[in-house]
Amino acid sequence: MGYSSSKLAIMFSIFKFIPLVIKQTLATSVFAILTGSLIAGCSTPPTRGTGSRSSSGAVPSNYSSPIASFSAVSWSALPGWRDDDLSQAWPAWLRSCEALRKRNSEMNWRQVCSQVAGVSTRDSQAIRQYFEDHFQAYEIRNSAGSETGLVTGYYEPVMNGSQTRTSVYSVPLYAYPNAWRQTRPNPGPSRADLMASGVLKGTEIAWVQDPVAAAFMQIQGSGKIRLPDGRVLRLGYAGTNEQPFKSFAQWLLDRKEITRSEATMQGISQWAKRNPDRVNEMLNANPRFIFFKELPGNVSADLGPTGALNVPLTTERSIAIDLQAMPLGAPVFLATTKPLSDQALQKLVMAQDTGKAIVGGVRADYYWGSGDAAGEMAGRMKQNGKMWVLLPR
């Protein structure tokens, strides 16, 4: 999530992703997690090409960005546009507007966002008309000219835990070391050296049961901990030891411990259950270590982690994108398929997050939501897809 989160996708170097430095994006993937200065300046807009808006106010026929080209198309070119229930996407767009109104941009976000008040939140057709009246759809192509790209998934882990160590909850999640706030090592000690050094003693922020689940939360960059008294502790990305990311899946594949079809979050968890004495060895294969911070408790537990746009992500309506491709916060129509199937997934989503593993013009990390079911979908998603960005007229 903004760092998103070290999104799940970065776990698999077998997919040749560039590792994330991890979220907040997620909480980025993050996983997307970005510094404040990056968040403030990351919505570099596409530049107008030969179709620049004329003095008569005509809609540009194309735009370009450093790694993508946009060509204006009719709404009928978007597969499933007429079928999508846009009332489900509307809350995500309103959150994008909250952030976009505050930004200086070549795009006229303030004007289109000023028109939302008169639109019924439950009327999908009225919402569709709003977008058709105020936006132009642009087909996105990669710099090489291809119209298809990779769509992966990420999620927000949710697990039981405690703020004190117990016989059940004995795996710590750590806050950023105070000693590093003044003089930050770059790089810091590896995970194995950190765990053996005692540097982290006293920085425990929460305790959970499963070390592999804790590692997945680090990869995502954020998560929720259900405490024994019923409260939910929200954790976000606070920093890293600046070590390079190395894939658990690749480590297991290199040793022929799993097959390629098992190189998923679920497959790794199953291996760990079969090999409890080797779990720490596997975890130490990745020298990177992620630290967390407690997020404000006044945020609704139903909302997702905060993405790079600095608004909460919306389940199945938020994506992480490459910031060089399009403006952060923009509406995007996504046409892909659900994990391990040919069932169409055609939805209006909002580009509210980013991550260093998300590279390319036609490239998205689809936020599935919180919890195990979302994790199942995210862990298996590696689909081809097409994207159209909607830009103000």
Side-chain angles (χ1 to χ4, degrees):
M1 294 122 227
Y3 200 81
S4 217
S5 6
S6 320
K7 311 262 196 296
L8 178 68
I10 67 168
M11 184 168 68
F12 309 129
S13 64
I14 57 172
F15 295 155
K16 308 301 183 187
F17 296 163
I18 298 175
L20 258 189
V21 194
I22 300 192
K23 176 170 194 129
Q24 196 96 306
T25 304
L26 182 243
T28 2
S29 273
V30 173
F31 259 296
I33 298 213
L34 301 170
T35 64
S37 60
L38 179 57
I39 290 175
C42 60
S43 62
T44 303
T47 57
R48 290 172 182 164
T50 57
S52 297
R53 187 181 298 275
S54 69
S55 59
S56 64
V59 176
S61 61
N62 61 68
Y63 282 91
S64 64
S65 74
I67 60 171
S69 63
F70 304 163
S71 298
V73 297
S74 67
W75 294 99
S76 62
L78 280 57
W81 170 251
R82 307 299 304 176
D83 301 321
D84 188 17
D85 183 357
L86 297 186
S87 66
Q88 297 178 8
W90 192 244
W93 170 238
L94 295 181
R95 293 188 186 105
S96 273
C97 276
E98 290 176 11
L100 292 171
R101 285 190 180 105
K102 302 172 185 176
R103 290 171 173 248
N104 293 320
S105 172
E106 177 182 319
M107 299 298 160
N108 195 7
W109 298 119
R110 290 190 181 95
Q111 177 63 28
V112 293
C113 287
S114 70
Q115 304 298 318
V116 301
V119 180
S120 171
T121 60
R122 298 182 180 180
D123 188 339
S124 182
Q125 182 54 41
I127 294 169
R128 194 174 348 267
Q129 194 64 53
Y130 161 83
F131 282 107
E132 292 180 359
D133 287 346
H134 298 290
F135 291 80
Q136 171 64 50
Y138 293 86
E139 180 186 59
I140 306 174
R141 288 181 177 265
N142 293 306
S143 55
S146 61
E147 62 183 18
T148 60
L150 179 65
V151 182
T152 51
Y154 69 111
Y155 79 112
E156 182 182 39
V158 180
M159 63 186 78
N160 294 328
S162 172
Q163 289 182 294
T164 58
R165 182 171 184 165
T166 70
S167 58
V168 174
Y169 304 121
S170 59
V171 177
L173 300 171
Y174 292 100
Y176 196 82
N178 287 328
W180 290 9
R181 295 186 185 279
Q182 296 295 325
T183 306
R184 183 177 65 181
N186 190 7
S190 67
R191 180 191 189 277
D193 290 341
L194 272 173
M195 300 303 286
S197 68
V199 169
L200 301 181
K201 186 175 178 60
T203 66
E204 298 88 351
I205 196 170
W207 304 80
V208 296
Q209 187 172 13
D210 183 353
V212 177
F216 289 152
M217 182 176 285
Q218 288 199 349
I219 290 171
Q220 296 302 300
S222 67
K224 297 175 184 173
I225 308 297
R226 289 187 295 248
L227 301 176
D229 62 5
R231 290 183 298 123
V232 174
L233 181 68
R234 304 197 69 158
L235 300 183
Y237 172 84
T240 176
N241 61 350
E242 307 297 340
Q243 287 279 349
F245 177 87
K246 293 188 179 178
S247 164
F248 304 145
Q250 190 63 56
W251 186 86
L252 292 168
L253 284 167
D254 290 345
R255 287 155 183 77
K256 295 181 169 46
E257 297 286 341
I258 60 174
T259 65
R260 286 193 176 273
S261 65
E262 295 171 321
T264 65
M265 182 181 68
Q266 294 79 13
I268 293 171
S269 294
Q270 289 300 317
W271 179 90
K273 290 177 182 177
R274 297 192 302 268
N275 300 273
D277 295 338
R278 299 185 62 195
V279 167
N280 207 46
E281 179 187 4
M282 178 191 73
L283 297 181
N284 284 339
N286 177 22
R288 173 166 291 167
F289 197 83
I290 304 305
F291 304 101
F292 293 101
K293 62 183 176 183
E294 184 175 353
L295 298 178
N298 59 350
V299 177
S300 170
D302 295 333
L303 294 177
T306 300
L309 189 63
N310 204 29
V311 300
L313 304 180
T314 301
T315 298
E316 297 190 46
R317 294 291 176 169
S318 296
I319 60 170
I321 48 89
D322 188 330
L323 294 174
Q324 293 190 80
M326 69 188 75
L328 193 64
V332 175
F333 194 78
L334 177 67
T336 184
T337 53
K338 292 185 177 181
L340 303 179
S341 79
D342 57 3
Q343 183 180 353
L345 192 164
Q346 299 169 340
K347 288 186 174 183
L348 181 64
V349 294
M350 306 300 154
Q352 296 174 328
D353 207 359
T354 189
K356 289 190 176 179
I358 314 306
V359 179
V362 186
R363 177 71 174 95
D365 207 14
Y366 183 78
Y367 177 65
W368 280 100
S370 300
D372 294 342
E376 289 283 330
M377 298 299 283
R380 292 182 167 91
M381 191 168 193
K382 184 175 181 285
Q383 317 297 111
N384 288 325
K386 298 181 180 182
M387 298 165 63
W388 294 259
V389 64
L390 311 188
L391 298 178
R393 290 183 179 274

